[in-house]
Amino acid sequence: MSSSRSAEATTAAPTTLARHGLAARVLHALNALAVLILLASGLALADWLGARGTALLGGHTAVDALHQTLGLAFVIAWLLLVALLPSQIGRLLRDVFHFKRADWRWPAAFLRFYFRPGSHAMPAHDGRFDPAQRIVFIGLIVALPVLGTSGAYLYLTPPLGRMALAGVVWLHVASAWLLIACVCLHILAGSGILRTHRGLVTAMFGNGRVTQDMADELWPEWARDQAVSRTGPTLIRPKGAARESAD
């Protein structure tokens, strides 16, 4: 009877791998909140939310003050983060810009697998992030500094720099739309809506772990490294597995 219960527990609780630590999850949550507020207030200032939407956010004057203040604070926070955590930022950039020729074909191959899993295999890669993630992250890495720099310029517009104002506004708006597109794709994958990404939301907004099966499918080389590394995240076996093997 107890062996039967242990077997059921083992089946119900798959092996998991640590994907993100607590510090990364907290920083991600704060960053996401700030970006969403800035995007919402920016859309309101551009009249994309309509008069009612802007009024719900507190009115044009309040939204403008919020957008400028939070935007400037966001830029300063990121500059401090880069200064305080250069090795972690450097590692992230290396992982994001790690591309091989075959990686550029990965997104199309993934779509073929996703919509016709019986006819196509999941494409392989050897990165910490899959190639589609990396492309989205590159979009974010391009958009955020341009948005921050142009926003700071608009906030502090020097008298002698007003000739460039129209160009800076265009850059700010264009990078905002790039950011919106990348954020939408990031949310689509991270929310777990996709069949291949079910449960992924807990990696950033939960315990920071992903199932072994998901890791094997989405990040096969990373999953192998974590499973055999003595210094990397350790495997967590389901409760009852040890008792069952002892029995």
Side-chain angles (χ1 to χ4, degrees):
M1 186 90 153
S2 64
S3 295
S4 168
R5 281 201 211 96
S6 297
E8 288 175 7
T10 302
T11 303
T15 300
T16 62
L17 288 169
R19 181 70 174 167
H20 300 294
L22 179 60
R25 300 200 306 274
V26 170
L27 286 174
H28 179 270
L30 293 173
N31 185 73
L33 180 61
V35 167
L36 291 176
I37 292 173
L38 285 168
L39 288 177
S41 57
L43 289 171
L45 292 174
D47 292 329
W48 278 88
L49 301 185
R52 181 174 297 180
T54 304
L56 286 173
L57 294 176
H60 191 279
T61 302
V63 169
D64 184 46
L66 170 66
H67 190 76
Q68 292 190 38
T69 305
L70 181 59
L72 196 59
F74 185 76
V75 170
I76 293 170
W78 262 106
L79 290 174
L80 287 173
L81 198 63
V82 171
L84 294 172
L85 302 172
S87 60
Q88 290 89 333
I89 298 295
R91 182 192 170 211
L92 176 63
L93 291 176
R94 286 193 297 274
D95 289 337
V96 168
F97 286 94
H98 168 79
F99 271 94
K100 296 181 178 179
R101 184 175 298 179
D103 288 342
W104 295 105
R105 297 191 292 271
W106 191 94
F110 171 78
L111 289 175
R112 287 194 294 270
F113 161 75
Y114 187 84
F115 291 109
R116 299 183 63 190
S119 304
H120 299 277
M122 179 72 171
H125 67 90
D126 64 354
R128 176 184 167 199
F129 307 112
D130 67 58
Q133 276 182 292
R134 284 176 251 158
I135 291 171
V136 170
F137 289 164
I138 288 171
L140 292 171
I141 289 168
V142 170
L144 283 170
V146 175
L147 264 172
T149 304
S150 58
Y153 181 90
L154 293 173
Y155 182 78
L156 303 169
T157 309
L160 297 178
R162 286 177 183 161
M163 290 177 62
L165 198 58
V168 174
V169 169
W170 183 89
L171 272 177
H172 197 70
V173 172
S175 55
W177 284 113
L178 173 60
L179 179 64
I180 288 171
C182 292
V183 166
C184 288
L185 290 172
H186 189 53
I187 291 173
L188 177 65
S191 63
I193 294 174
L194 300 178
R195 168 176 51 82
T196 49
H197 294 62
R198 296 269 164 79
L200 184 56
V201 68
T202 60
M204 270 302 185
F205 296 100
N207 60 6
R209 310 191 73 84
V210 294
T211 63
Q212 179 77 55
D213 290 343
M214 179 188 291
D216 287 339
E217 186 170 63
L218 293 179
W219 318 287
E221 194 66 28
W222 176 85
R224 278 192 290 272
D225 289 345
Q226 302 312 305
V228 301
S229 174
R230 293 179 180 178
T231 58
T234 56
L235 286 169
I236 287 187
R237 295 293 175 185
K239 292 180 180 178
R243 288 198 303 273
E244 184 182 3
S245 60
D247 292 342

